[in-house]
Amino acid sequence: MSTPSDEFDLVVIGGGIQGVGVLQAAAAAGWRAALIEERALASGTSSRSSKLIHGGLRYVESRQFALVRESLAERRTLLAIAPSLVKLVPFHIPLYRSTRRRPWQIRAGLSLYALLGDLEPSARFEKLPRRAWDSLDGLSTEGLQAVFRYQDGQTDDSALVRAVARSAEELGAQIACPARFVRARRLDEGYELELAAGNRTLSWRAAALVNAGGPWINLVRERIDPPPPGLEIDLVGGTHIELEGRLERGIYYAEAPRDGRAVFFMPWKEHVLVGTTETTYRGDPRVVRPLPEEVGYLQETLAAYFPRATGKLIDSWAGLRVLPHGEGAAFHRRRETTLVCDDELRPRAIGIYGGKLTGYRATGAKVVALLARTLPNVQRLADTATLPLPVAPLATITVAP
Ligand SMILES: Cc1cc2nc3c(=O)[nH]c(=O)nc-3n(C[C@H](O)[C@H](O)[C@H](O)COP(=O)(O)OP(=O)(O)OC[C@H]3O[C@@H](n4cnc5c(N)ncnc54)[C@H](O)[C@@H]3O)c2cc1C
């Protein structure tokens, strides 16, 4: 292991998927890169996602075609570089007489989804024959009109974060964890940073900073002097519940009878995972918890589709989406990542707002392209689009020096 340094081209704040993605991309670009994570890698939103590596079929409906196309391309890349972490799984869409979306709409949406995925074999979909309905994990057939099946990706979000962090370390990056970013002060050519690791205070220097604080992004921004530009955001809580039981046939993508929102029923580590809700959240991101009514909503939705599913509730948790501040239902807001730079020509501070687990690698590449306007021109070490992700555990995580 190399000797820990305190001087970097780039320091990333936050060890969720976006932070480790930028760290890996920066290290692959050949820069001296480091990351600061306050608690544990993936301890924020990145361990509370629906664990899907997907284009997002519902973003076809909201016409976010660029997002879907990029996400499907990233899915393809991740299936190739991390085959043990990202797998294609059959997804089923059951449609009943009472379902708001009609079979022709789903067929049109899936056709467009396949087109945006370049009509690859993995983009094919089918309408299941009636005789196959009884093999679908006890799915209610009362009023059932059609079941469509297509494929999308599933992962273990925490394991993915650890694998990307490990890859960054193998490329020479340094990770300080647990260590809290306390403040940064702008210098002529970069920043001076203070971090707290246990009872020690450390001082680092960086030519550029990336704020990957997820739901804490604007709290992190306020700790930078002067604060770089930012965005007004809404935090939207999403709850998952884990229940006893098994789903043998894959994932089910359903419409909640109560409000028509999308809910997934997923096989997860020998159990069933159901999610998610969308509830506006105000308060400390650290203490976000599922509300009893959210747990009830998910249980009620599961019971509507799988009347025989009586599995005991094992666990429930909530994570926070970062969405642009706005009026109206969170469900319909844009889901792209927004990069906010202090200076378009020579950026030294970049904030990563929003985004998906699926797009972490593309976001890392975009941040590197922006920082190439400021940071030294050095020898590239690797291409993250082809570099296989390591599966070994993170034995070498560097705790702050
Ligand atoms: C319910 C839900 C379901 C989702 N499902 C999917 C899905 O299926 N597929 C998909 O592609 N996307 C999904 N997403 C989106 C995806 O999970 C997020 O976009 C992603 O995890 C955000 O990662 P992040 O790195 O920005 O934030 P986080 O993972 O929250 O990381 C931020 C990190 O910053 C650290 N931090 C904060 N302050 C400091 C400080 N002062 N010093 C040091 N560290 C600090 C925190 O400890 C935290 O670890 C979902 C999101 C939600 C909420």
Side-chain angles (χ1 to χ4, degrees):
M1 207 193 326
S2 56
T3 322
S5 169
D6 54 11
E7 212 161 320
F8 304 95
D9 294 311
L10 173 67
V11 168
V12 183
I13 302 150
I17 190 69
Q18 307 298 352
V20 297
V22 170
L23 186 74
Q24 187 212 25
W31 291 323
R32 295 169 305 157
L35 181 144
I36 309 169
E37 166 52 48
E38 182 173 8
R39 291 178 292 165
L41 294 176
S43 55
T45 309
S46 298
S47 55
R48 296 139 193 259
S49 79
S50 298
K51 306 167 200 316
L52 302 178
I53 296 296
H54 62 158
L57 184 58
R58 71 187 172 91
Y59 307 132
V60 171
E61 199 176 16
S62 53
R63 295 166 192 266
Q64 300 184 58
F65 299 133
L67 174 67
V68 175
R69 177 173 266 292
E70 179 185 270
S71 302
L72 287 173
E74 285 306 304
R75 184 187 80 176
R76 188 183 315 132
T77 300
L78 291 174
L79 285 166
I81 63 171
S84 62
L85 273 171
V86 181
K87 301 211 184 290
L88 280 178
V89 180
F91 276 57
H92 303 87
I93 307 180
L95 298 164
Y96 296 83
R97 274 198 295 273
S98 55
T99 309
R100 293 165 206 207
R101 290 163 188 89
R102 295 290 77 220
W104 70 264
Q105 289 171 302
I106 298 299
R107 187 179 285 283
L110 284 169
S111 304
L112 201 48
Y113 199 60
L115 211 59
L116 291 164
D118 289 338
L119 296 175
E120 287 183 343
S122 63
R124 285 193 198 126
F125 69 92
E126 61 184 324
K127 190 171 160 212
L128 293 188
R130 226 165 240 274
R131 64 176 184 280
W133 291 357
D134 284 339
S135 66
L136 296 178
D137 295 301
L139 179 76
S140 169
T141 50
E142 209 185 312
L144 188 59
Q145 289 185 320
V147 180
F148 285 91
R149 180 157 65 191
Y150 68 110
Q151 294 187 90
D152 234 327
Q154 191 181 25
T155 190
D156 176 335
D157 45 8
S158 306
L160 183 65
V161 171
R162 290 196 298 273
V164 178
R166 176 64 184 257
S167 170
E169 281 193 317
E170 287 175 0
L171 291 162
Q174 191 172 311
I175 295 175
C177 177
R180 183 162 47 90
F181 167 70
V182 179
R183 64 175 69 90
R185 190 170 61 88
R186 181 67 203 254
L187 309 171
D188 282 347
E189 295 284 304
Y191 286 93
E192 182 181 59
L193 291 84
E194 187 184 312
L195 44 152
N199 51 13
R200 286 170 304 165
T201 299
L202 305 166
S203 180
W204 282 4
R205 276 183 185 239
L209 284 186
V210 170
N211 180 353
W216 293 267
I217 186 162
N218 282 342
L219 297 174
V220 168
R221 190 171 75 88
E222 285 165 16
R223 291 169 179 266
I224 304 173
D225 177 23
L231 293 180
E232 215 183 323
I233 56 172
D234 290 332
L235 297 181
V236 177
T239 286
H240 286 92
I241 58 173
E242 186 178 348
L243 304 115
E244 277 179 356
R246 299 289 287 261
L247 291 174
E248 308 283 354
R249 299 288 169 184
I251 291 178
Y252 295 81
Y253 184 6
E255 198 180 273
R258 215 196 285 182
D259 56 9
R261 279 196 56 255
V263 171
F264 292 105
F265 310 116
M266 299 166 280
W268 175 244
K269 295 188 175 169
E270 314 293 312
H271 294 135
V272 176
L273 188 62
V274 184
T276 125
T277 54
E278 292 196 340
T279 314
T280 304
Y281 182 79
R282 286 183 188 84
D284 183 353
R286 222 166 298 268
V287 293
V288 59
R289 301 259 184 286
L291 300 172
E293 55 266 34
E294 292 181 292
V295 174
Y297 169 93
L298 294 173
Q299 283 178 312
E300 163 196 309
T301 306
L302 177 70
Y305 284 86
F306 296 93
R308 296 202 301 274
T310 51
K312 212 174 98 207
L313 184 67
I314 298 172
D315 201 359
S316 63
W317 61 86
L320 290 171
R321 297 172 207 276
V322 175
L323 298 184
H325 174 65
E327 302 296 322
F331 190 56
H332 299 295
R333 296 227 207 122
R334 314 285 306 168
R335 299 295 164 108
E336 288 105 342
T337 312
T338 307
L339 301 177
V340 181
C341 297
D342 61 338
D343 180 339
E344 289 292 332
L345 291 179
R346 286 179 60 79
R348 288 205 182 263
I350 299 179
I352 303 177
Y353 284 84
K356 309 283 297 166
L357 191 71
T358 307
Y360 84 85
R361 205 203 55 83
T363 300
K366 286 175 200 164
V367 170
V368 160
L370 287 168
L371 288 174
R373 300 173 189 170
T374 310
L375 296 184
N377 200 354
V378 286
Q379 177 77 40
R380 168 168 287 280
L381 300 184
D383 179 355
T384 61
T386 50
L387 184 69
L389 285 184
V391 282
L394 269 172
T396 62
I397 275 287
T398 320
V399 174

